[in-house]
Amino acid sequence: MGYESMWQSGNPEIAADLRPEVPHPARMYDYYLGGKDNFPADRAAAEKALAANPEFRATARANRGFLTRAVRCVAGLGVDQFLDIGTGIPTAGNTHEIARAVDRTARVVYVDNDPIVLSHARALMAGAGDGRTTVLRADLREPAAVLEAVRAEGLLDFSRPVGLVLAAVLHFLRDEDEPYKAVATLLAALPAGSHLVLSHGTADFIPAAVRDRVTGIYDKATAPLVGRSREQVAAFLDGLEPLDPGVVTVPLWRPEAPPAPGAERVSMYGAVARKP
């Protein structure tokens, strides 16, 4: 599988691949966040998911807060280049905005396999003109192709630490997609001092009946939803050095204000870990 630069995303074949009649997790997530970059099918599916689990919207927003704090932390540790895979539709508080608030020279490569993401990212980056941010079309399920695409762009220097951002994306990979192998392959290409920023949905706090209803909704979308346990999420960090407080629900990862009641049961785990 090849890749497509954001500057090529006007390709009519890409535009034809949007499939607005089929719910897409990235557009559903945009709806949870209050965005407008979604279609009726996405909104209908998202409303069904919210009816089954009203916490989805709060979870999505808590995940965005985690992303802000985690990327800011990693940038504050001196990492000035980021690879954000499964970025989703751009909204407020994107990785490049967070990183550049710490270091204005930070470089960011976004990777996603959804053509609508490329379309919106192209509009977002139009006029930036500094060449420090780009968006590539590639698939996390093919990590070697992702790395090939990034290297071809030449934006990131793999001899220096990289912040690998996998925020709310791995739960869209089934076990047969080999998500652990994908993460290990990506990390193997990064030097010591690189950091992994990870968040992942879980069903640890959801009744089985609710889990099954939500899973059924996503099974009809373009990607499934696979909630994993805390232990399964922690396994993505094997061989790394987790930063305090380790694997916790996303509102509890270095909160900047007292967490709201129930924060320990939000259905998303988050962690940041360093490659030794």
Side-chain angles (χ1 to χ4, degrees):
M1 178 177 178
Y3 73 94
E4 180 119 11
S5 167
M6 62 176 284
W7 307 116
Q8 300 168 316
S9 60
N11 187 320
E13 293 182 7
I14 300 299
D17 197 28
L18 293 178
R19 300 174 66 197
E21 74 284 359
V22 181
H24 192 289
R27 301 192 298 256
M28 292 171 66
Y29 187 77
D30 175 74
Y31 180 74
Y32 297 144
L33 290 172
K36 301 183 184 303
D37 297 313
N38 44 71
F39 296 114
D42 306 309
R43 296 190 286 274
E47 284 295 341
K48 289 180 181 178
L50 287 168
N53 182 6
E55 298 301 317
F56 259 118
R57 181 166 280 127
T59 299
R61 290 173 178 170
N63 181 65
R64 293 299 296 187
F66 162 76
L67 176 68
T68 297
R69 299 190 303 277
V71 171
R72 184 186 297 141
C73 169
V74 173
L77 293 172
V79 176
D80 62 358
Q81 48 182 0
F82 291 82
L83 174 58
D84 185 338
I85 303 177
T87 179
I89 295 171
T91 186
N94 299 288
T95 296
H96 74 282
E97 295 169 326
I98 303 164
R100 288 185 189 170
V102 178
D103 181 348
R104 61 185 298 273
T105 68
R107 296 177 178 270
V108 178
V109 173
Y110 293 109
V111 175
D112 205 285
N113 67 348
D114 182 11
I116 199 171
V117 170
L118 270 73
S119 176
H120 284 280
R122 179 179 57 183
L124 176 70
M125 304 302 170
D130 61 6
R132 294 183 179 275
T133 304
T134 194
V135 181
L136 307 178
R137 191 186 189 197
D139 197 314
L140 176 57
R141 291 169 294 188
E142 300 181 12
V146 171
L147 293 168
E148 177 187 358
V150 175
R151 290 191 178 105
E153 285 294 308
L155 189 65
L156 302 184
D157 179 357
F158 283 96
S159 70
R160 299 191 300 107
V162 174
L164 173 62
V165 180
L166 298 172
V169 62
L170 288 164
H171 50 235
F172 296 127
L173 272 62
R174 295 186 173 93
D175 290 344
E176 53 265 37
D177 293 322
E178 300 184 296
Y180 294 98
K181 181 179 179 181
V183 174
T185 299
L186 293 167
L187 288 169
L190 305 182
S194 294
H195 286 70
L196 171 64
V197 173
L198 170 74
S199 63
H200 195 300
T202 183
D204 281 358
F205 315 112
I206 299 176
V210 174
R211 178 199 63 206
D212 292 344
R213 285 177 62 192
V214 171
T215 299
I217 292 166
Y218 276 85
D219 282 344
K220 296 176 183 177
T222 58
L225 183 62
V226 183
R228 294 186 170 92
S229 69
R230 184 182 183 282
E231 291 72 22
Q232 290 172 317
V233 173
F236 286 109
L237 310 183
D238 284 354
L240 304 179
E241 300 171 345
L243 276 60
D244 289 338
V247 180
V248 294
T249 58
V250 286
L252 298 183
W253 198 89
R254 302 192 180 187
E256 297 171 345
E264 73 282 358
R265 296 181 63 81
V266 168
S267 297
M268 185 87 70
Y269 288 118
V272 177
R274 179 183 183 276
K275 181 176 179 179

